[in-house]
Amino acid sequence: MIPSKQQGFKQHSALQFLLKLLLLLCLLKTIFFVYNYSLGNGWAIHNFQQAWKVGKWSLLYDVFTILIINIPLLLLLMIAGKKLQRPAPSLLVAVVFAALNTLMIFLNTVDIFYYRFHLQRADADLMYVLRNPFDYGTVKVWLLLLAMVAFLLLTARYFYKNIFAIIFSDTPKRSLLFTSIAATLLLILFVATGVKKILPTYPLTQLQAVQLPLAQNSFHHFLYSLYRKSESSIPNKEYMSRSEQEKLFSIQKINSPAGQPRNIVLFIMESVPAAFFDSSSPYKVAMPFLDSLVNKSTFYSNAFSFSYSSNKGITAMLAGLPTLTDIPLYHSGFTGIRRTSVGNTLALKGYQSAFFIGDNYDDFGFAKCCNWLGIQHYYSKTDIPGHKQMEKHSLGLHDEYVLDFMQQKIDGMQAPFLAIQYNISTHYPNDLPSGFKDRFPNINNTPQMKSMQYYNDCLQSFFKTAAMQSWYNNTVFIFCSDHWAQPHNKTIRIDEVESFRIPIFIFDPKIPAGRKDSSMVSQLDILNTMMYYGAVKDSFTSYGQNLADTSLPPNRTVFTKLNSAVYQAINNQYVLGFDAIDGKPLYLYDYKKDPAKKTNLLKVQPPKQAAAMILSMKAFLQTATKHYRNELP
């Protein structure tokens, strides 16, 4: 439908429209700043100079984004003139540019709330987060979808009317020409002053990493992440000779000789922070069964996730690979990367393998990931008999039903076997079944803690039955969280170190003596550990180490990915931030002595360990880059 000219078209101009967009984006940035203030610890803005830098970069990116979307509209208005006022072309132009501007506003609005979960601006990963939102959606899911659709329709209608107002306005040609030339010159100026300045990560040269999301525009960041799907997006920097690189960081691993293959059960714990297991934390969960199991296990008190995302965590654990792309590795153009397919490799040792999740089939792309890694059986919600009558979490079936089904399937599997369960009850919004009994209301006083108590009860039931089975004593149980998450809904600071801490522990019924290991360990170590218990003696590809190896170096360095540009190296005292695009270190904090990360040691007097950590980071990145580009021997 084309609006009539009586709707005030003569009162609109292209310049007014662009300024409205800029004001709207500034308003959304302000709301983003306030709503996520605690997550950014005040965004490290302590004076006018810091605020000015953030504001300057924010305006630059917002103006740049508005121009790349709307300069074609200005040029069409200038070139086509009255011809554009015909029904067909005016309708087409209005629909296209209303859709683009709506998407820009929508992504920036969604990020106000989604940032708490993704911890960076919108990127292409959003297309792979939830694949089947309409299947058995709960009331919460449907209400959220309806709210999003309503917002999109209202925003699209607003832009649709405004663009028609511009097309049919009597704006003097010289005014339109001036606006078009000024906008084009401004866009050229952005590019001419250095292409890197329009990269959404470039302000890191002037801003702190925590301030970067304030400067970025979500639509701009999303476009950049789409570009990063290609091979050219992997920075191909040469930091050192190949021989030095291989000496410092090798991904070809051989485990020490092991005994007979053991059954392996891996529990991937969704959104479980280390605080739930830390007796010194106010968010230590009362979970009697898991506490008793930890007391009989090897517990790694310095364990870290590679990233903040589930679809990158699963790749780190099951493939032993870091994800350099913004989208999941198994969805990217790098699926042919040299890797150890855990299912296929263990199958050579006679293993059967299966993956269990209460979610819809292939949500988050997990079915593709399992197929990519040769895992033989993938069981999701619809494979569980009677699932339609079972009580559900917002994302799928509650864990009790999945673990019971898993128990039945394991009983029918021939040893040795690999069984992986990815629980969902501890995922936001931490829904609990109606029959859940809160036995520790004074201790487990947040939704996250209560859902962990529920998962504890589910595991207790699973192990009670499992302990009576013939396969139990020859089984190794590995527990690892997919990523850190907030232990509560209160204000919290996203920390360069603490927000990567996760629980990892191994329970072996044959060795029930508990042990706490303070070595630095990572999700990337899980594959090596499974290869060890699988008695795999051949060489395999992995970025990790074997957790069963008691000779792990006490001051080992592990690696994490903060956002699309910044990687971190963490040892038992320091955290190093490194910009992979520019190939330069950004910060070094002594997080033991300076937990608030106030003093960047790179700007004062770097300790002796700084050079070694920077070299280690460069070796890691160069190895990963060569690996992704298939340039390793």
Side-chain angles (χ1 to χ4, degrees):
M1 177 182 176
I2 300 176
S4 66
K5 286 190 178 183
Q6 282 70 40
Q7 292 181 290
F9 289 162
K10 291 184 180 180
Q11 300 174 13
H12 290 71
S13 71
L15 184 58
Q16 285 177 323
F17 178 66
L18 298 180
L19 290 174
K20 282 182 183 178
L21 283 174
L22 184 59
L23 287 172
L24 183 55
L25 287 175
C26 289
L27 174 62
L28 291 176
K29 283 277 180 70
T30 303
I31 298 172
F32 181 94
F33 173 87
V34 174
Y35 185 77
N36 295 293
Y37 185 83
S38 61
L39 290 177
N41 192 32
W43 302 106
I45 298 175
H46 305 295
N47 53 53
F48 176 79
Q49 185 180 13
Q50 292 171 332
W52 165 247
K53 285 183 179 179
V54 172
K56 178 184 69 175
W57 281 104
S58 176
L59 281 173
L60 186 150
Y61 279 156
D62 287 347
V63 170
F64 175 77
T65 305
I66 289 170
L67 293 182
I68 60 173
I69 290 175
N70 292 291
I71 277 182
L73 172 62
L74 298 177
L75 294 176
L76 278 171
L77 289 169
M78 188 174 64
I79 295 169
K82 296 291 184 181
K83 294 179 181 178
L84 206 59
Q85 295 182 356
R86 296 172 183 173
S90 63
L91 181 63
L92 178 63
V93 169
V95 168
V96 169
F97 288 98
L100 288 173
N101 283 289
T102 297
L103 180 59
M104 174 182 66
I105 296 301
F106 178 74
L107 289 176
N108 280 279
T109 303
V110 166
D111 267 354
I112 294 172
F113 311 99
Y114 188 62
Y115 177 77
R116 287 177 173 259
F117 304 99
H118 200 49
L119 297 179
Q120 65 179 41
R121 286 278 179 174
D123 57 28
D125 186 47
L126 284 174
M127 299 186 294
Y128 304 96
V129 170
L130 197 61
R131 308 295 292 177
N132 303 297
F134 296 101
D135 291 347
Y136 313 110
T138 64
V139 173
K140 291 180 181 178
V141 174
W142 281 105
L143 288 175
L144 179 61
L145 288 171
L146 287 173
M148 291 170 65
V149 170
F151 178 84
L152 282 168
L153 290 175
L154 289 172
T155 308
R157 182 175 180 271
Y158 172 78
F159 287 129
Y160 181 78
K161 291 179 66 176
N162 270 266
I163 291 169
F164 260 109
I166 296 169
I167 293 172
F168 286 92
S169 67
D170 295 328
T171 305
K173 277 200 170 182
R174 66 170 178 267
S175 175
L176 189 58
L177 178 64
F178 171 77
T179 303
S180 302
I181 291 175
T184 305
L185 287 175
L186 194 54
L187 190 60
I188 292 172
L189 181 64
F190 287 155
V191 177
T193 53
V195 174
K196 282 188 177 181
K197 287 191 176 181
I198 62 173
L199 298 182
T201 55
Y202 188 76
L204 280 171
T205 57
Q206 294 187 21
L207 305 180
Q208 295 185 37
V210 72
Q211 297 169 336
L212 183 61
L214 285 178
Q216 293 169 327
N217 181 286
S218 298
F219 183 82
H220 180 207
H221 194 269
F222 182 80
L223 288 182
Y224 179 66
S225 68
L226 292 177
Y227 157 76
R228 281 172 52 86
K229 286 184 180 182
S230 65
E231 185 173 327
S232 60
S233 70
I234 307 297
N236 191 20
K237 293 190 178 295
E238 296 283 346
Y239 297 109
M240 61 195 72
S241 67
R242 178 162 291 180
S243 60
E244 186 180 6
Q245 166 202 321
E246 292 175 357
K247 182 180 179 181
L248 289 169
F249 199 94
S250 174
I251 60 173
Q252 287 308 114
K253 304 295 170 64
I254 300 178
N255 279 328
S256 57
Q260 294 300 310
R262 305 282 301 278
N263 302 318
I264 303 167
V265 177
L266 171 62
F267 292 101
I268 300 177
M269 302 182 291
E270 170 65 62
S271 303
V272 173
F276 285 175
F277 289 82
D278 184 357
S279 58
S280 67
S281 169
Y283 303 103
K284 167 67 181 73
V285 175
M287 43 184 180
F289 171 71
L290 276 174
D291 286 342
S292 68
L293 199 65
V294 166
N295 289 335
K296 302 173 186 176
S297 306
T298 300
F299 185 85
Y300 299 90
S301 56
N302 277 316
F304 294 84
S305 65
F306 173 70
S307 78
Y308 291 128
S309 303
S310 299
N311 51 32
K312 296 175 179 64
I314 192 174
T315 304
M317 286 180 275
L318 300 186
L321 302 179
T323 301
L324 303 190
T325 52
D326 293 325
I327 65 173
L329 180 53
Y330 47 84
H331 280 301
S332 73
F334 299 98
T335 52
I337 191 172
R338 189 171 76 200
R339 66 193 182 280
T340 294
S341 298
V342 61
N344 293 335
T345 302
L346 291 178
L348 297 176
K349 287 286 186 178
Y351 275 77
Q352 293 186 51
S353 55
F355 183 96
F356 301 85
I357 191 168
D359 210 341
N360 296 311
Y361 181 80
D362 201 33
D363 267 358
F364 301 92
F366 289 168
K368 291 183 179 65
C369 180
C370 289
N371 182 60
W372 180 59
L373 296 176
I375 295 172
Q376 296 161 347
H377 304 286
Y378 183 92
Y379 298 106
S380 60
K381 178 171 64 179
T382 53
D383 293 303
I384 299 178
H387 67 90
K388 291 186 178 180
Q389 286 73 46
M390 295 174 179
E391 195 172 357
K392 297 174 180 64
H393 182 281
S394 293
L395 292 181
L397 290 179
H398 284 294
D399 292 331
E400 57 190 285
Y401 305 115
V402 182
L403 285 169
D404 182 60
F405 175 76
M406 176 180 171
Q407 184 86 245
Q408 297 171 35
K409 286 295 180 181
I410 288 179
D411 290 343
M413 294 173 74
Q414 186 175 355
F417 59 79
L418 166 66
I420 304 163
Q421 192 245 352
Y422 209 128
N423 85 301
I424 63 172
S425 61
T426 50
H427 191 287
Y428 180 85
N430 307 101
D431 297 337
L432 292 169
S434 56
F436 170 72
K437 295 181 179 180
D438 187 355
R439 291 176 289 135
F440 309 98
N442 295 328
I443 301 175
N444 300 335
N445 49 27
T446 73
Q448 294 89 332
M449 296 171 77
K450 292 181 189 298
S451 65
M452 189 65 194
Q453 178 192 336
Y454 165 70
Y455 186 45
N456 165 86
D457 296 347
C458 295
L459 287 170
Q460 182 176 13
S461 177
F462 174 88
F463 273 84
K464 182 179 180 180
T465 303
M468 297 184 290
Q469 308 307 313
S470 59
W471 50 264
Y472 179 78
N473 285 325
N474 194 41
T475 303
V476 175
F477 299 90
I478 303 173
F479 292 78
C480 182
S481 177
D482 65 340
H483 56 79
W484 176 88
Q486 290 184 190
H488 53 72
N489 293 330
K490 303 173 185 177
T491 58
I492 191 168
R493 178 179 186 265
I494 299 301
D495 185 272
E496 290 85 349
V497 177
E498 297 306 314
S499 59
F500 287 97
R501 285 193 185 274
I502 58 170
I504 295 179
F505 61 98
I506 300 174
F507 171 63
D508 184 348
K510 287 186 175 181
I511 314 173
R515 181 173 70 91
K516 182 173 283 190
D517 192 323
S518 60
S519 303
M520 304 292 290
V521 302
S522 163
Q523 286 178 330
L524 294 164
D525 299 327
I526 299 300
L527 174 69
N528 300 56
T529 309
M530 292 192 292
M531 294 294 102
Y532 171 79
Y533 287 115
V536 175
K537 299 178 182 178
D538 298 328
S539 173
F540 59 93
T541 302
S542 172
Y543 285 70
Q545 301 290 337
N546 171 22
L547 293 177
D549 184 354
T550 56
S551 62
L552 286 173
N555 195 26
R556 179 186 172 205
T557 297
V558 297
F559 301 94
T560 65
K561 184 179 182 181
L562 190 65
N563 55 45
S564 59
V566 180
Y567 292 78
Q568 295 188 145
I570 306 174
N571 63 21
N572 61 5
Q573 186 172 1
Y574 300 100
V575 55
L576 169 77
F578 194 90
D579 184 348
I581 294 177
D582 276 348
K584 296 178 181 178
L586 297 170
Y587 53 81
L588 180 70
Y589 298 116
D590 184 337
Y591 67 89
K592 292 288 187 180
K593 297 179 180 178
D594 178 23
K597 320 291 186 306
K598 291 183 177 179
T599 304
N600 183 352
L601 298 175
L602 295 180
K603 295 183 177 180
V604 287
Q605 187 174 358
K608 293 179 180 178
Q609 294 93 325
M613 291 189 74
I614 293 171
L615 190 63
S616 178
M617 172 61 81
K618 289 179 176 179
F620 168 80
L621 287 174
Q622 183 167 311
T623 299
T625 297
K626 298 297 182 185
H627 184 199
Y628 269 68
R629 291 174 175 269
N630 197 28
E631 295 175 3
L632 291 180

